[in-house]
């Protein structure tokens, strides 16, 4: 068995893993990056990038349908599933090639194969062993299912849904969270009949209630159906369709069932516990610095409890690389990490909800303001409705920013700055927003909370 020595060994080449590898190499470390599939992980190949390409294609289809409303003559002849696939795969291929080139340019050693952590904290790949002064675990996540619900045939996860070579006529989406509402949005825009089944009382249930209710209204107007507050019981399929039964006896039938009930940490059978790491329900337990408790062993990304977001993985990977290099790096809480759901309309948020703010500070100490995008010129131009909601502590800082509307994901960074810097609305109110932009809607909310609304009463 050959032994290879490095300053840093990274197990997993997804968002968190490759970010750690790139930053460590930039800081002069000798780095090995182990990946069993393709560098870039789920986000690049089966998640963030390909799904957002689908969502853009869906947006184009919607624009063609509504072209006459802006005086443009256009006709939607249909959706070319093969053409959409080629477009999506072309984007992924370009990003993959660019990432491979970046890793090569930084002098990182890529190892193709499945790595297993050993008791001595080395990583075994086949007959080779990779030893690092530090090791970063970044093995990512997988699509969850429910007990008794077997994936296969007409029952799909998001990975199989991406690989479909047709636009289904009728689809059931099990789960009204991020993945579920994004695929529901795509398929509806492509012409499918879509029904979302969510066991909790609202769509995107982790968001502020104002956004959940707003998205439900928007989906209802579009014709996306949903059934809320009743749990799934079973699914049965034959060669023609799949039928879902809920606990109240209600049934739904469709061409396909998409199972979108979240993602689980990919840690089973990789030797983490045997090496001394604590694993709780599949997640690797770490401190706020992302240390596992085993000297020199760190964990980042989807295997760490909290938000499962690619940009959280980037942030954690960079932070760990810098800590290994001896730099002081402040921990960033999940409340300061922006969250975007890219359905139409988009949902974007950072900080805490009004409900959470009241629980933390008391109802009398929390003030919230909602600004309707109907009053925003740019939103009217691009044809989107929605809302901007800002939550603040009374006479204190901004605690949460919550947005609903097409393209509002591009605004959430300003919200992140306001929350992370504990800005008061009075601090931001003097800063003008360009006109006409959707960012003005966020500015209007800050103005209102500062006691001097301009375009609102």
């Amino acid at each position: 068995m050959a032994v290879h020595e490095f300053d840093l060994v990274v197990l997993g080449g997804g968002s968190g893993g490759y970010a750690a590898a790139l930053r460590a190499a930039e800081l002069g470390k000798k780095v090995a990056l182990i990946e069993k599939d393709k560098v870039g992980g789920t986000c690049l190949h089966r998640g963030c990038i390909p799904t957002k390409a689908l969502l853009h294609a869906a947006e184009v289809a919607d624009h063609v349908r509504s072209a006459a409303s802006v005086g443009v003559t256009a006709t939607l002849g249909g959706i070319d599933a093969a053409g959409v696939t080629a477009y999506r795969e072309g984007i992924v291929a370009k990003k993959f090639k660019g990432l491979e080139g970046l890793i090569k340019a930084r002098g990182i050693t890529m190892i193709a194969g499945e790595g297993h952590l050993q008791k001595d904290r080395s990583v075994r790949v086949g007959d080779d062993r990779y030893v690092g002064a530090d090791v970063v675990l970044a093995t990512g996540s997988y699509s969850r299912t429910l007990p008794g619900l077997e994936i296969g045939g007409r029952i799909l996860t998001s990975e199989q849904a991406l690989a479909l070579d047709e636009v289904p006529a009728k689809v059931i989406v099990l789960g009204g969270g991020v993945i579920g509402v994004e695929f529901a949005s795509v398929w509806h825009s492509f012409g499918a009949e879509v029904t979302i089944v969510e066991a909790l009382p609202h769509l995107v249930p982790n968001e502020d209630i104002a956004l959940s209710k707003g998205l439900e209204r928007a989906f209802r107007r579009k014709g996306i159906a949903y059934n809320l507050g009743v749990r799934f019981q079973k699914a049965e399929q034959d060669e023609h369709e799949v039928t879902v039964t809920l606990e109240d006896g209600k049934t739904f039938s469709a061409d396909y069932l998409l199972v979108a009930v979240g993602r689980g940490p990919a840690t089973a059978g990789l030797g983490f516990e045997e090496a001394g790491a604590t694993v709780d329900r599949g997640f690797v337990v770490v401190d706020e610095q992302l240390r596992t408790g085993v000297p020199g062993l760190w964990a980042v990304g989807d295997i760490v409890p909290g938000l499962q977001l690619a940009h959280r993985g980037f942030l954690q990977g960079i932070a760990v690389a810098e800590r290994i290099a001896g730099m002081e790096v402040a921990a960033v809480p999940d409340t300061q990490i922006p969250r975007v759901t890219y359905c139409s309309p988009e949902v974007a948020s950072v900080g805490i909800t009004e409900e959470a703010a009241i629980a933390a500070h008391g109802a009398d100490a929390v003030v919230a303001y909602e600004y309707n995008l109907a009053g925003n010129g740019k939103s009217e131009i691009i044809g989107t409705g929605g809302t901007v909601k800002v939550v603040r502590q009374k006479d204190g800082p901004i605690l949460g920013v919550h947005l609903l509307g097409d393209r509002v994901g591009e605004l959430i960074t300003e919200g992140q700055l306001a929350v992370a810097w504990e800005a008061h609305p009075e601090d931001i109110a003097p800063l003008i927003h360009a006109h006409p932009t959707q960012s003005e809607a966020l500015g209007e909310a800050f103005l209102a909370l500062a006691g001097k609304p301009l375009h609102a009463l």
Side-chain angles (χ1 to χ4, degrees):
M1 179 179 285
V3 177
H4 311 271
E5 295 188 357
F6 293 84
D7 297 321
L8 175 64
V9 174
V10 181
L11 179 55
S15 303
Y18 83 68
L22 288 173
R23 182 61 177 137
E26 191 174 51
L27 292 169
K29 301 293 184 181
K30 182 182 178 184
V31 181
L33 180 58
I34 300 168
E35 171 55 49
K36 67 179 181 180
D37 189 8
K38 294 180 178 179
V39 68
T42 295
C43 176
L44 176 55
H45 298 284
R46 299 173 298 281
C48 317
I49 299 301
T51 57
K52 276 53 183 180
L54 286 182
L55 283 155
H56 178 64
E59 182 183 39
V60 171
D62 287 338
H63 284 172
V64 174
R65 287 191 186 94
S66 63
S69 67
V70 297
V72 175
T73 301
T75 302
L76 181 65
I79 304 298
D80 177 4
V84 172
T85 297
Y87 158 70
R88 170 177 58 80
E89 291 179 345
I91 290 174
V92 171
K94 288 179 183 177
K95 299 297 105 182
F96 177 49
K97 183 178 180 180
L99 180 56
E100 282 188 313
L102 190 58
I103 288 169
K104 183 178 180 181
R106 294 276 173 87
I108 295 167
T109 300
M110 280 294 308
I111 295 101
E114 184 170 7
H116 292 262
L117 189 64
Q118 306 298 291
K119 290 181 179 180
D120 63 358
R121 206 174 44 80
S122 65
V123 180
R124 177 177 56 80
V125 182
D127 293 330
D128 291 331
R129 206 160 52 87
Y130 297 86
V131 178
D134 289 272
V135 175
V136 174
L137 307 177
T139 47
S141 61
Y142 64 92
S143 293
R144 288 187 186 274
T145 186
L146 298 176
L149 182 56
E150 186 175 347
I151 304 301
R154 295 185 174 275
I155 301 176
L156 318 171
T157 66
S158 58
E159 286 90 343
Q160 288 90 44
L162 279 172
L164 278 182
D165 58 1
E166 61 174 315
V167 176
K170 197 172 183 180
V171 186
I172 302 164
V173 177
L174 182 59
V178 174
I179 296 171
V181 298
E182 287 187 350
F183 270 95
S185 190
V186 167
W187 276 325
H188 172 75
S189 295
F190 283 174
E193 181 182 333
V194 182
T195 300
I196 303 171
V197 174
E198 169 56 52
L200 294 175
H202 293 285
L203 297 179
V204 288
N206 292 327
E207 298 291 345
D208 190 277
I209 190 65
L211 302 192
S212 293
K213 289 183 176 180
L215 183 63
E216 288 161 15
R217 288 192 296 270
F219 273 16
R220 188 164 56 246
R221 287 193 296 268
K222 286 173 174 286
I224 299 175
Y226 47 84
N227 191 94
L228 306 175
V230 182
R231 296 172 65 89
F232 164 88
Q233 184 179 81
K234 65 178 180 178
E236 299 171 303
Q237 62 173 314
D238 58 28
E239 59 180 317
H240 302 294
E241 66 178 9
V242 57
T243 298
V244 170
T245 303
L246 305 187
E247 288 186 346
D248 63 0
K250 189 179 294 185
T251 62
F252 301 91
S253 295
D255 299 328
Y256 291 99
L257 167 65
L258 170 66
V259 180
V261 293
R263 298 186 64 82
T267 58
L270 297 179
F272 295 176
E273 291 176 286
E274 291 80 358
T278 300
V279 178
D280 180 19
R281 292 173 296 175
F283 291 98
V284 179
V285 177
V286 294
D287 64 12
E288 69 170 12
Q289 300 298 307
L290 301 167
R291 296 174 295 208
T292 65
V294 178
L297 186 64
W298 313 71
V300 301
D302 285 0
I303 64 172
V304 173
L307 296 172
Q308 292 181 312
L309 299 170
H311 47 282
R312 176 178 179 258
F314 294 148
L315 174 74
Q316 292 181 340
I318 293 167
V320 163
E322 291 179 347
R323 288 169 187 143
I324 289 170
M327 301 169 66
E328 292 290 331
V329 183
V332 177
D334 277 3
T335 53
Q336 293 180 11
I337 296 174
R339 310 172 293 274
V340 184
T341 302
Y342 295 88
C343 52
S344 178
E346 287 183 354
V347 176
S349 59
V350 67
I352 60 177
T353 65
E354 182 179 6
E355 181 181 16
I358 290 172
H361 302 283
D364 293 339
V366 173
V367 180
Y369 180 80
E370 293 185 38
Y371 180 80
N372 194 314
L373 287 187
N376 177 256
K378 186 59 178 289
S379 296
E380 182 73 19
I381 289 167
I382 67 173
T384 187
T387 190
V388 168
K389 181 175 181 177
V390 178
V391 181
R392 76 172 297 185
Q393 194 170 350
K394 188 175 182 180
D395 301 322
I398 295 164
L399 302 173
V401 174
H402 309 278
L403 313 175
L404 174 71
D406 288 338
R407 305 186 189 178
V408 296
E410 301 296 335
L411 306 181
I412 201 58
T413 297
E414 181 178 348
Q416 179 191 30
L417 294 175
V419 170
W421 289 348
E422 299 182 343
H424 291 218
E426 293 81 3
D427 299 328
I428 303 173
L431 304 176
I432 196 70
H433 291 75
H435 177 76
T437 64
Q438 285 186 291
S439 70
E440 289 179 284
L442 195 48
E444 289 286 350
F446 292 143
L447 284 167
L449 284 175
K452 48 181 181 181
L454 182 60
H455 293 99
L457 297 176

